[in-house]
Amino acid sequence: MNPMTYYIAFKSILAKEVSRFTRIWIQTLVPPAITMSLYFVIFGNLIGSRIGEMGGFSYMEFIVPGLIMMSVITNSYSNVASSFYSAKFQRNVEELLVAPVPNYIIIAGYVGGGVARGLCVGLIVTLVSLFFVPLQVHHLFSVCLTVLLTSILFSLGGLINAVFAKSFDDISIIPTFILTPLTYLGGVFYSITLLPPFWQAVSQVNPIIYMVNAFRYGFLGISDVPLGTAYLIIIGFIVALYGLAWWLISRGTGLRH
């Protein structure tokens, strides 16, 4: 197959994935906006007014980047997990496996769909946040790079979850018991500098800390962790998860329901 054929294969998978979540936009794009609006009202206006400033900014300004990142993480992950498992359940994925399409094209297509949904939801939540707080952007490149890399990372995570899942219930185990706790403890609602030294050290094991802080740096110019370290960790996880996803699909592990 020539490069143009590969491109057509990638574009076809990507178009299918984008069409899948845009066709049911009321279920995929509207709920995150409503959920984040509640966070803004409850944590930002009601509780934030009592907390005061954090890191030199109002509490609402401080949590907005974390809430945007939380919505991107959740939607990137869930989009690929549910879509790939549905393809496996309906045996559509077997058609991809027998087709002359490289594994990296399959991965790129599904991950591209997850990134598209993550970025769409992130943009929607950002627009919603403007009704509550005037956003400032300290470093646009950091904002764009961090949200893109994070969306890729969790799209790969969703793909791996779908490969191992044996039922629709299995694709909710990781988000419920691992992803959600890590996100809430990832510095979305607080600065880790408020924690005792021991718990600061423990928090730095959580990779989401680095994503949230790199994203917050892009908006506010403050971060609890070194920016270079944050990007190294994010890219390292992307490489590791991509390698695992490629290996699993190459072996056909868990792909036949």
Side-chain angles (χ1 to χ4, degrees):
M1 295 178 69
N2 57 52
M4 181 56 66
T5 307
Y6 290 157
Y7 170 73
I8 293 173
F10 166 73
K11 186 174 70 172
S12 300
I13 298 173
L14 179 60
K16 175 182 74 71
E17 289 300 295
V18 173
S19 173
R20 175 181 174 273
F21 74 80
T22 53
R23 188 174 61 251
I24 53 173
W25 60 273
I26 294 180
Q27 301 175 40
T28 56
L29 302 180
V30 174
I34 296 174
T35 301
M36 290 303 134
S37 297
L38 294 175
Y39 277 117
F40 292 141
V41 171
I42 296 171
F43 287 95
N45 286 342
L46 300 182
I47 298 177
S49 59
R50 300 188 178 188
I51 293 177
E53 291 190 352
M54 186 169 292
F57 297 89
S58 70
Y59 188 65
M60 175 70 88
E61 289 178 300
F62 183 84
I63 67 172
V64 163
L67 291 175
I68 296 172
M69 182 57 67
M70 185 166 68
S71 66
V72 170
I73 288 172
T74 303
N75 285 274
S76 299
Y77 191 97
S78 62
N79 189 78
V80 182
S82 60
S83 178
F84 195 82
Y85 180 77
S86 295
K88 188 172 74 168
F89 181 79
Q90 297 167 0
R91 300 185 184 279
N92 296 336
V93 73
E94 295 179 3
E95 299 174 6
L96 282 175
L97 294 177
V98 299
V101 178
N103 293 331
Y104 67 85
I105 295 293
I106 298 174
I107 295 172
Y110 277 96
V111 168
V115 170
R117 178 172 166 184
L119 296 182
C120 283
V121 170
L123 178 60
I124 291 170
V125 173
T126 302
L127 294 176
V128 169
S129 71
L130 294 176
F131 290 97
F132 299 91
V133 62
L135 280 182
Q136 56 178 308
V137 178
H138 174 76
H139 201 294
L140 182 60
F141 179 75
S142 292
V143 170
C144 296
L145 180 61
T146 305
V147 74
L148 178 62
L149 291 177
T150 302
S151 188
I152 291 172
L153 171 58
F154 283 95
S155 294
L156 286 168
L159 179 61
I160 294 170
N161 188 179
V163 169
F164 282 110
K166 292 182 171 30
S167 69
F168 281 101
D169 292 334
D170 290 343
I171 63 176
S172 65
I173 292 176
I174 299 297
T176 302
F177 294 102
I178 297 179
L179 194 55
T180 299
L182 287 178
T183 302
Y184 278 94
L185 297 174
V188 173
F189 299 103
Y190 60 89
S191 169
I192 64 171
T193 57
L194 299 176
L195 302 175
F198 173 77
W199 291 110
Q200 287 187 36
V202 172
S203 295
Q204 290 176 11
V205 178
N206 181 356
I208 295 180
I209 283 281
Y210 300 92
M211 302 166 201
V212 170
N213 275 279
F215 196 57
R216 182 173 288 130
Y217 172 82
F219 279 103
L220 305 179
I222 60 173
S223 175
D224 293 336
V225 298
L227 205 59
T229 303
Y231 286 124
L232 284 175
I233 289 175
I234 296 171
I235 293 171
F237 270 99
I238 289 175
V239 172
L241 291 186
Y242 173 81
L244 178 58
W246 185 89
W247 182 73
L248 290 172
I249 292 177
S250 297
R251 294 192 58 191
T253 303
L255 296 183
R256 291 170 177 80
H257 186 75

